[in-house]
């Protein structure tokens, strides 16, 4: 491997590790805020217990996400200085807004929420968790807007070999970003819903036949609704993303579908050799007879436009990432819809369904990671589509040894973080909801002794 390959591996490894924590933070924050809102409106004690229980899980995950995210920005300067030089004026704006506005909002109000119990008025304290949760989602928006610009650059001009931003609003309202943001955030809510369902499934099995089961049933039902609704958002925005990919990133679409040549009425390949006629054309252009470009024909046209080179991404990875994303995402959402049906009209969760919810925990995480691999590997060989090749983005002075050492260190450290988070989350889940300690009895003073 050369420095370019190692730099790509390092960024991929650290990004996937970081992305293990991000979706859960985005979705779980809103879920916790919803639980606290229910407690505030109804005064029912079990909502408060669930708020504090899932709030601790949220905080554990948030802390790990912050730690693993710090390294991401340093890599732009260490391994990707040529990329940073080219995109700095454009890329820096949404990232600065994410750090100075969204992340500060998220972390500040989260601190107030942590230390504000019994200190802030109930309405103010409730507002802090909503502000923190909204900050998490706002942070995702700015980062995804920057990422979308790499796939479909808008609002810029190239001056002296560097991209110069001419329209910030165009960058923030990029059509690719407007489709990608709700798609990714919807996926994050599916991940959070799957996580809550796994936890509830575990406790539904442990508390089966007891009064405590009713509390976990209510939380599970709320998570089922969240997962099903988020799945609908993911499906709708995925359809929009496919249409934009057809127009803006035809090579990624062709690689994701294993289509080699321009085809009218292109089929959708469920797997190699298993196809559904005309479905790809319909999904891409809402026209069953539309022509979808193929990788080999696009390669020839790209060589004519950009010069010699291989402009095809890693086709097997892109192809199977797309199918893993769809299969595991559908399985998670389908299980939530089935759960809603089976538990309608106050019916109890069957034991097998609780077990299924627990065992399905990895599915939404694998789905969003596969989707991220599809998104980023499918863009190759470009870091900025049509403007900057990945091979021209790596830092010229970094050696293979330096990147190999840092890659090994980051992999080991991030692996330790992942194990630590899993242990902390599992320990807290097994511990369950802590009952509040009884208030100490106070001796009643006779009136005569009070003077």
């Amino acid at each position: 491997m050369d420095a370019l390959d190692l730099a790509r591996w390092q960024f991929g490894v650290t990004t996937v590790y970081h992305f293990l924590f991000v979706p859960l933070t985005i979705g779980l924050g809103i879920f916790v805020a919803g639980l606290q809102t229910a407690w505030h409106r109804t005064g029912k004690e079990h909502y408060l217990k669930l708020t504090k229980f899932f709030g601790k899980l949220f905080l554990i995950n948030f802390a790990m996400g912050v730690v693993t995210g710090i390294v991401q920005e340093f890599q732009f300067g260490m391994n990707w200085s040529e990329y940073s030089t080219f995109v700095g004026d454009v890329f820096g704006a949404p990232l600065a807004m994410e750090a100075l506005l969204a992340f500060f909002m998220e972390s500040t109000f989260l601190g107030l929420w942590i230390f504000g119990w019994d200190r802030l008025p109930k309405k103010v304290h409730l507002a802090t968790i909503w502000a923190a949760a909204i900050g998490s989602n706002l942070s995702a928006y700015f980062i995804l807007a920057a990422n979308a610009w790499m796939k479909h650059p808008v609002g810029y001009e190239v001056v002296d070999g560097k991209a110069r931003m001419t329209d910030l609003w165009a960058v923030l309202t990029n059509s690719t970003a407007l489709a990608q943001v709700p798609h990714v955030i919807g996926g994050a809510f599916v991940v959070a819903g799957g996580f809550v369902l796994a936890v509830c499934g575990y406790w539904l099995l442990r508390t089966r036949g007891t009064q405590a089961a009713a509390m976990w049933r209510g939380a599970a039902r709320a998570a089922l609704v969240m997962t099903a609704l988020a799945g609908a958002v993911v499906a709708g925005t995925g359809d929009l993303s496919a249409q934009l990919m057809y127009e803006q990133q035809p090579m990624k679409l062709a690689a994701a579908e294993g289509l080699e040549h321009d085809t009218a009425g292109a089929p959708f390949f469920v797997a190699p050799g298993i196809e559904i006629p005309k479905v790809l054309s319909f999904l891409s252009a809402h026209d069953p007879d539309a022509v979808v470009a193929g990788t080999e024909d696009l390669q020839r046209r790209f060589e004519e436009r950009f010069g010699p080179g291989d402009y095809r991404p890693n086709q097997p990875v892109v192809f199977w990432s797309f199918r893993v994303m769809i299969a595991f995402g559908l399985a998670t959402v389908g299980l939530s819809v089935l759960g809603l049906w089976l538990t309608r009209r106050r019916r109890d969760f069957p034991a097998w369904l609780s077990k299924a919810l627990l065992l399905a925990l990895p599915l939404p995480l694998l789905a969003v990671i596969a989707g991220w691999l599809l998104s980023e590997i499918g863009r190759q060989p470009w870091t900025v589509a049509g403007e900057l090749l990945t091979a021209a983005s790596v830092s010229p002075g970094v050696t293979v040894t330096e990147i190999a050492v840092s890659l090994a260190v980051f992999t080991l450290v991030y692996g330790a973080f992942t194990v630590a988070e899993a242990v902390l989350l599992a320990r807290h889940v097994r511990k369950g909801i802590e009952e509040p300690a009884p208030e100490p009895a106070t001796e009643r003073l006779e009136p005569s002794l009070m003077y």
Side-chain angles (χ1 to χ4, degrees):
M1 287 189 178
D2 57 15
L4 173 61
D5 292 330
L6 287 173
R8 289 183 63 191
W9 267 102
Q10 179 170 298
F11 200 87
V13 167
T14 54
T15 299
V16 168
Y17 270 124
H18 181 56
F19 204 63
L20 288 172
F21 311 113
V22 171
L24 186 55
T25 295
I26 292 172
L28 194 55
I30 295 292
F31 187 77
V32 171
L35 288 173
Q36 186 166 343
T37 301
W39 171 64
H40 178 76
R41 295 187 63 181
T42 66
K44 294 181 179 179
E45 193 70 16
H46 69 273
Y47 285 126
L48 176 60
K49 293 178 181 179
L50 289 169
T51 298
K52 292 188 174 182
F53 175 77
F54 284 107
K56 287 184 179 179
L57 297 174
F58 169 68
L59 292 175
I60 292 170
N61 189 75
F62 176 82
M64 288 296 181
V66 171
V67 172
T68 56
I70 292 173
V71 177
Q72 299 297 98
E73 296 182 1
F74 285 117
Q75 288 186 90
F76 292 130
M78 294 188 301
N79 295 343
W80 303 99
S81 61
E82 293 298 314
Y83 165 81
S84 300
T85 299
F86 180 80
V87 305
D89 185 67
V90 178
F91 208 73
L95 288 187
M97 295 173 76
E98 186 274 333
L100 298 176
L101 175 62
F103 180 71
F104 279 7
M105 172 183 174
E106 177 185 17
S107 54
T108 298
F109 283 102
L110 190 57
L112 289 171
W113 184 74
I114 294 170
F115 298 106
W117 288 100
D118 303 322
R119 292 181 176 89
L120 295 174
K122 286 179 64 175
K123 288 185 179 180
V124 175
H125 188 254
L126 175 62
T128 62
I129 186 59
W130 275 109
I134 292 170
S136 296
N137 287 264
L138 192 60
S139 178
Y141 178 86
F142 289 122
I143 292 174
L144 291 170
N147 178 264
W149 185 86
M150 297 166 64
K151 301 168 186 171
H152 180 231
V154 295
Y156 77 105
E157 61 182 1
V158 178
V159 180
D160 298 328
K162 301 177 183 178
R164 292 285 182 265
M165 185 165 59
T166 58
D167 189 345
L168 175 61
W169 184 246
V171 173
L172 296 179
T173 58
N174 186 345
S175 59
T176 303
L178 295 181
Q180 181 172 272
V181 169
H183 189 67
V184 173
I185 290 180
F189 277 84
V190 172
V191 170
F195 175 80
V196 173
L197 287 172
V199 173
C200 291
Y202 172 78
W203 276 103
L204 282 168
L205 290 171
R206 288 192 59 177
T207 60
R208 193 168 182 81
T210 69
Q211 290 184 345
M215 176 178 65
W216 294 109
R217 181 190 180 281
R221 285 279 299 179
L224 288 172
V225 172
M226 181 174 74
T227 306
L229 292 177
V233 172
V234 171
T237 54
D239 177 66
L240 178 58
S241 296
Q243 295 175 58
L244 291 173
M245 197 186 305
Y246 172 73
E247 299 171 0
Q248 301 169 359
Q249 302 178 80
M251 183 65 86
K252 179 192 291 186
L253 178 63
E257 295 301 338
L259 195 67
E260 295 185 348
H261 300 287
D262 298 354
T263 305
F268 175 83
F269 290 94
V270 179
I274 304 175
E275 64 180 60
I276 306 176
K278 297 192 175 186
V279 169
L280 177 58
S281 289
F282 179 78
L283 292 176
S284 301
H286 285 185
D287 179 359
D289 297 315
V291 176
V292 179
T295 54
E296 300 306 313
D297 293 321
L298 284 168
Q299 170 67 20
R300 187 186 69 255
R301 291 195 284 270
F302 281 15
E303 285 182 343
E304 293 173 355
R305 179 180 176 185
F306 300 111
D310 189 352
Y311 297 95
R312 294 163 295 192
N314 188 318
Q315 196 270 331
V317 173
V318 175
F319 181 88
W320 287 110
S321 294
F322 185 41
R323 277 139 190 84
V324 169
M325 176 188 70
I326 293 175
F328 289 175
L330 281 176
T332 304
V333 176
L335 185 60
S336 69
V337 173
L338 177 63
L340 284 172
W341 173 256
L342 293 175
T343 59
R344 68 193 187 281
R345 298 176 183 173
R346 299 186 178 276
R347 296 177 183 177
D348 291 335
F349 277 70
W352 69 264
L353 178 60
S354 299
K355 293 177 182 177
L357 295 175
L358 178 58
L359 294 175
L361 174 60
L363 297 184
L365 271 175
L366 292 173
V368 296
I369 290 174
W372 198 248
L373 292 175
L374 165 67
S375 176
E376 299 308 295
I377 295 178
R379 192 186 62 246
Q380 298 302 315
W382 304 97
T383 46
V384 181
E387 291 288 356
L388 184 65
L389 290 166
T390 304
S393 304
V394 70
S395 301
V398 179
T399 66
V400 171
T401 302
E402 290 171 335
I403 302 179
V405 170
S406 61
L407 172 59
V409 171
F410 284 144
T411 302
L412 291 173
V413 171
Y414 275 31
F417 283 153
T418 304
V419 171
E421 160 137 1
V423 170
L424 289 172
L425 290 177
R427 182 181 299 170
H428 182 64
V429 169
R430 286 197 301 267
K431 188 177 181 180
I433 291 178
E434 298 179 11
E435 296 294 337
E439 295 184 5
T442 54
E443 184 177 286
R444 183 177 181 274
L445 297 179
E446 293 296 331
S448 59
L449 299 178
M450 296 174 61
Y451 295 93

